[in-house]
Amino acid sequence: MDLLASLAAEERWLFPAFLVMYAAIYSVGQLVVFRRWAPRQRLDGASCLISLFHGTPAALAAAGAILALPARSRSFAAPNARLQDHVLDYSVAYFVMDLLHYLAFLPGDVLFIAHHLATLFVFLTCRYIVRHGAYALLVLLLLAEVTSLLQNVWTLAGIWRDQSTAAARVYGALSPPFYVLYTLVRGVAGPLFLLKMTVFYLSGQAVDVIPWWVRISWIVVVGTAIAVSNLWIWNLWKELFRERKQSMSKSKKDT
């Protein structure tokens, strides 16, 4: 809480410092941590590394920034507090760094590039244009990143599972709990909060502080992101059940 209090009192623009931090972490990932990995694996590992430094800290900071405000300020149309702006800048810096990673090395990953551009549009319009509505975005950020630690460890284990039996075991052990948590967050909590947010913004209650095109675009971007996330996890569930079924069939044949 002392860190959050110091951030709330900080008047400087912190985005450049956050971006330099992510660039340094990314460089360490590429040049040191994953230097012995194959080129594509090294790229994925470096991206996961900066995601590890973003996800859980961002979720905790978002929760802290929400709880630090009085209940009356937790509104979809409330003006952004300084602490909320810093948390948004922390996430903006991450998405800018990861977007540069994809544009430079993996320009064919159109889905990730589109996701990052859309996310940056939402965060930047909230942070620098309308300067209202950060409460809604921080709740969504919390929901999006609460699974980040588990997802990144699962992803790194998945990258390395063909070369390491230990990584394969970690990947297999983490898959079910990760899928369950991700499904609950993205398939239940996320849509329910989006519904609440949509009802508020379409009611016209924020019309004086957030233009209609911003409100509608936020709803569309968030709704699309949730839909794509649910499609992704649904495909992972199907793959998991298919693998388990094949494993059971093989075990029966062996006996």
Side-chain angles (χ1 to χ4, degrees):
M1 294 306 293
D2 290 341
L3 177 60
L4 289 178
S6 63
L7 275 176
E10 180 58 67
E11 297 182 358
R12 290 176 298 175
W13 187 42
L14 297 181
F15 169 78
F18 291 146
L19 185 60
V20 169
M21 180 195 75
Y22 283 120
I25 294 169
Y26 181 84
S27 299
V28 169
Q30 283 270 31
L31 301 175
V32 180
V33 179
F34 306 112
R35 70 182 187 280
R36 298 183 184 277
W37 288 22
R40 176 55 198 259
Q41 293 176 332
R42 187 166 66 248
L43 289 173
D44 291 339
S47 179
C48 278
L49 186 63
I50 60 171
S51 182
L52 279 168
F53 278 85
H54 169 255
T56 301
L60 293 174
I66 292 167
L67 295 175
L69 294 175
R72 65 180 180 275
S73 297
R74 296 172 198 167
S75 165
F76 293 112
N80 299 351
R82 184 184 298 158
L83 178 57
Q84 293 176 326
D85 283 343
H86 289 327
V87 176
L88 289 175
D89 279 341
Y90 186 77
S91 286
V92 167
Y94 160 72
F95 281 107
V96 167
M97 187 64 233
D98 208 39
L99 178 62
L100 292 174
H101 156 79
Y102 278 101
L103 291 175
F105 300 111
L106 303 168
D109 282 0
V110 178
L111 185 61
F112 275 98
I113 292 172
H115 169 269
H116 284 17
L117 287 172
T119 302
L120 283 170
F121 168 80
V122 173
F123 282 176
L124 290 172
T125 51
C126 176
R127 170 69 173 91
Y128 294 104
I129 298 179
V130 299
R131 296 183 177 273
H132 287 72
Y135 164 74
L137 300 192
L138 291 184
V139 172
L140 291 169
L141 177 63
L142 173 60
L143 293 175
E145 299 300 343
V146 72
T147 59
S148 178
L149 177 60
L150 191 57
Q151 181 174 351
N152 280 296
V153 174
W154 171 83
T155 300
L156 288 171
I159 292 172
W160 200 241
R161 61 175 169 164
D162 291 336
Q163 289 78 31
S164 168
T165 55
R169 286 196 297 268
V170 171
Y171 180 85
L174 288 182
S175 291
F178 167 57
Y179 295 175
V180 169
L181 179 60
Y182 195 95
T183 301
L184 290 174
V185 173
R186 303 295 182 101
V188 180
L192 288 175
F193 187 79
L194 174 62
L195 177 61
K196 184 177 180 181
M197 173 180 157
T198 301
V199 169
F200 181 90
Y201 284 141
L202 294 184
S203 70
Q205 296 182 64
V207 67
D208 294 332
V209 292
I210 304 178
W212 67 268
W213 64 270
V214 174
R215 285 177 279 132
I216 297 300
S217 63
W218 288 0
I219 292 169
V220 171
V221 169
V222 173
T224 302
I226 289 176
V228 172
S229 295
N230 279 286
L231 178 62
W232 179 71
I233 197 65
W234 171 250
N235 288 330
L236 288 176
W237 275 117
K238 289 195 298 183
E239 181 181 349
L240 178 64
F241 286 127
R242 183 169 59 249
E243 290 176 353
R244 294 292 170 88
K245 186 176 180 180
Q246 290 173 351
S247 178
M248 291 175 62
S249 298
K250 183 178 179 181
S251 298
K252 289 180 179 179
K253 289 181 181 179
D254 292 340
T255 57

